[in-house]
């Protein structure tokens, strides 16, 4: 019996939606495994995102401050 073919929401690969497949229905088995089996990777990736977000905010704040100072002087 053939299972319906779905496109993975993470890697855009087509996969067969096996009813026994663990994880999300819109993710291929490989991507479901990555999420389930490696929470550390997910956490560190989140930390990286937070870090770059923080840097972006600081850069923006610095630019704003320079703009204000330039206006004052
Ligand atoms: Zn995938």
């Amino acid at each position: 019996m053939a299972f319906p073919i779905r496109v993975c929401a993470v890697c855009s690969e087509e996969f067969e939606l096996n009813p026994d497949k663990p994880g999300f229905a819109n993710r291929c088995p490989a991507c479901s495994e990555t999420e389930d089996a490696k929470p550390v990777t997910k956490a560190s990736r989140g930390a990286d995102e937070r870090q770059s977000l923080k840097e972006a905010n600081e850069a923006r704040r610095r630019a704003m401050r320079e703009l204000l100072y330039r206006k004052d002087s």
Side-chain angles (χ1 to χ4, degrees):
M1 168 187 167
F3 298 115
I5 300 293
R6 291 290 161 90
V7 175
C8 174
V10 178
C11 67
S12 302
E13 288 284 334
E14 288 186 348
F15 65 97
E16 283 189 349
L17 183 58
N18 186 323
D20 295 331
K21 189 188 84 61
F24 293 98
N26 62 351
R27 289 187 187 183
C28 71
C31 289
S32 301
E33 253 174 50
T34 331
E35 290 289 317
D36 290 345
K38 293 176 186 167
V40 177
T41 310
K42 196 180 168 189
S44 70
R45 195 173 56 207
D48 281 352
E49 274 168 25
R50 268 199 301 278
Q51 181 63 27
S52 60
L53 203 71
K54 199 178 136 203
E55 280 169 13
N57 280 339
E58 274 170 17
R60 195 162 31 202
R61 216 172 303 151
R62 212 174 310 142
M64 290 274 270
R65 211 177 303 152
E66 279 172 21
L67 212 70
L68 287 174
Y69 281 146
R70 213 174 301 152
K71 219 187 281 174
D72 284 345
S73 60

